């Protein structure tokens, strides 16, 4: 068996293994020179070749790097994809996907999306001649009448940031493909552990790696995965020539983060459900958004297309912004910060941070009020988290 056959055999074997095994081993072999079980960080920007007109293996670090390959290989395995392309941020992935479209194209996006995604679609895309329709897609049938002859892309985020709204991926994929368009799913909140959009009909799945995939609040990075060679070639071309690639060190850290993704996501979800149940019964809390609660309007759908409910929730409290600030002030363990998905718990006010620049009418329809709080639930001891929120809510009024 030659080396290529051996690599294919190893890849096939890994794909049959469990999630946790693939998260640790996919794309990550011991170093052939030293035997190091964790591959070293390859900082070289350029790689020696055998002749002037032959380029083999790695050539230039913007085009490819061993650490980036290891990370991309692992993500592809975990998402059940043939290909993955890593970028310098989640927003760089959005830009790359938009780069696939040409002027005169039309895209449809769900209204419940990250504020930065909205900015790209509603403002930047339109500057480049891309028409955008942003609408509520909780009822999948609503999309049927929105397609045009030039519709090339549908983008959804499920569950959504920050309201945890759930969209039927399989149903949206069916409508999208009937119109020869491409479906992209932002899977950041769920990660490959809890949801695999490609298996439900999506063409591209993307993540802000910065969040749960890395999981330690120390990497800025994004990734897109697909089974379609044509889409992979386009994304790879944009990846190389737009220059929005992650550094070897960030790829190394993100690949390390993947090794504990399964155990972290289990703990994130366990803590989230207990906090959601606690907050649901608190007299000062008016609403809790978490698909794991049976009271969530799309709990049944979430249970069907997800393998779990994740580490994100949001909730609204009585009062006004002053009460939100008092609650935040009295949290001793949980920090106030705009990101999410780290081992530590974080709170933020979406109306004043991630979704600040959304039109007021859209914020209102999405329930993004000044008393809505987004909570990224960490993996601390649940007793300490419950005590922290009990203390903060008691002192918020």
């Amino acid at each position: 068996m030659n080396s290529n056959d051996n690599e294919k055999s190893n890849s096939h074997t890994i794909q049959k293994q469990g999630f946790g095994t693939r998260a640790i081993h996919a794309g990550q072999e011991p170093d052939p020179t030293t035997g190091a079980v964790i591959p070293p960080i390859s900082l070289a920007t350029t790689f020696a070749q055998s002749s002037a007109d032959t380029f083999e293996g790695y050539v230039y670090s913007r085009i490819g790097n061993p650490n980036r390959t290891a990370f991309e290989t692992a993500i592809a395995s975990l998402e059940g994809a043939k290909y993955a392309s890593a970028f310098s941020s989640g927003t760089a992935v959005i830009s790359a996907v938009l780069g696939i479209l040409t002027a005169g194209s039309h895209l449809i996006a769900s209204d419940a999306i990250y504020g930065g995604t909205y900015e790209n679609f509603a403002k930047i895309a339109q500057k480049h001649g891309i028409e955008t329709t942003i609408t509520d897609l909780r009822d999948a049938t609503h999309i049927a009448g929105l397609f045009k002859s030039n519709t090339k892309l549908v983008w959804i985020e499920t569950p959504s940031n920050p309201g945890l709204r759930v969209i039927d991926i399989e149903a949206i994929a069916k409508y999208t493909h009937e119109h020869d368009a491409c479906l992209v799913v932002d899977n950041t909140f769920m990660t490959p552990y809890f949801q695999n959009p490609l298996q439900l009909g999506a063409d591209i799945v993307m993540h802000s790696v910065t969040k749960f995939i890395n999981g330690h609040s120390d990497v800025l990075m994004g990734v897109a995965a697909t089974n379609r060679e044509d889409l992979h070639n386009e994304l790879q071309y944009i990846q190389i020539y737009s220059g929005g690639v992650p550094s070897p060190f960030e790829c190394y850290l993100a690949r390390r983060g993947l090794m504990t993704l399964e155990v972290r996501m289990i703990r994130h979800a366990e803590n989230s459900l207990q906090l959601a149940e606690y907050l649901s019964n608190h007299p000062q809390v008016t609403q809790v958004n978490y698909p794991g609660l049976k009271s969530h309007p799309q709990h049944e759908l979430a249970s069907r297309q997800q393998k779990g409910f994740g580490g994100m929730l949001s909730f609204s409290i009585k009062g006004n912004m002053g009460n939100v600030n008092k609650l935040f002030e009295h949290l001793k363990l949980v920090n106030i910060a705009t990101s999410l998905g780290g081992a530590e718990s974080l709170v933020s006010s979406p109306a004043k941070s991630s979704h600040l620049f959304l039109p007021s009418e859209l914020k209102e329809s999405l329930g993004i009020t000044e008393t809505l709080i987004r909570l990224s639930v960490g993996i601390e001891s649940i007793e300490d988290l419950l005590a922290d929120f009990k203390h903060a809510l008691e002192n918020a009024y």
Side-chain angles (χ1 to χ4, degrees), residues 17 35 85 91 97 107 133 137 208 233 236 265 288 299 307 316-317 321 330 333 341 359 363:
Q17 294 171 336
S85 301
T91 304
V97 171
L107 73 85
T133 299
L137 292 177
S208 172
N233 290 341
Q236 191 175 53
M265 292 311 297
V288 177
H299 174 74
K307 302 179 186 73
S316 297
I317 63 171
M321 196 68 202
H330 286 92
L333 183 66
K363 280 196 279 191

Side-chain angles (χ1 to χ4, degrees), residues 227-245:
N227 281 315
R228 286 177 49 178
E229 186 177 5
D230 60 331
L231 292 174
H232 168 65
N233 290 341
E234 294 226 44
L235 287 170
Q236 191 175 53
Y237 181 87
I238 294 167
Q239 177 196 44
I240 293 170
Y241 291 105
S242 71
V245 296

Side-chain angles (χ1 to χ4, degrees), residues 229-301:
E229 186 177 5
D230 60 331
L231 292 174
H232 168 65
N233 290 341
E234 294 226 44
L235 287 170
Q236 191 175 53
Y237 181 87
I238 294 167
Q239 177 196 44
I240 293 170
Y241 291 105
S242 71
V245 296
S247 72
F249 183 52
E250 286 179 306
C251 292
Y252 168 85
L253 289 176
R255 182 65 192 84
R256 185 187 65 172
L258 274 179
M259 295 174 76
T260 59
L261 181 61
E262 179 175 29
V263 293
R264 286 188 288 107
M265 292 311 297
I266 291 171
R267 182 62 171 262
H268 281 299
E270 289 174 347
N271 282 356
S272 295
L273 182 58
Q274 291 193 57
L275 273 168
E277 290 174 340
Y278 169 76
L279 292 168
S280 295
N281 294 309
H282 198 284
Q284 301 295 356
V285 175
T286 60
Q287 182 175 346
V288 177
N289 305 307
Y290 185 65
L293 293 175
K294 291 183 179 178
S295 59
H296 189 283
Q298 293 146 314
H299 174 74
E300 185 179 342
L301 171 60

Side-chain angles (χ1 to χ4, degrees), residues 20-91:
T21 302
R22 286 179 284 135
I24 293 168
H25 294 287
Q28 187 153 275
E29 300 293 331
D31 184 79
T33 303
T34 66
V37 296
I38 300 299
I41 303 170
S42 179
L43 296 174
T45 56
T46 193
F47 301 83
Q49 301 297 316
S50 59
S51 67
D53 59 353
T54 302
F55 295 95
E56 297 177 338
Y58 295 100
V59 177
Y60 186 63
S61 198
R62 175 167 49 79
I63 299 170
N65 172 277
N67 298 109
R68 195 161 94 214
T69 298
F71 175 77
E72 291 172 339
T73 301
I75 285 292
S77 175
L78 297 179
E79 279 289 11
K82 292 180 181 178
Y83 316 100
S85 301
F87 292 83
S88 55
S89 69
T91 304

Side-chain angles (χ1 to χ4, degrees), residues 307-318:
K307 302 179 186 73
F309 303 105
M312 293 299 302
L313 64 88
S314 60
F315 64 99
S316 297
I317 63 171
K318 294 177 181 178

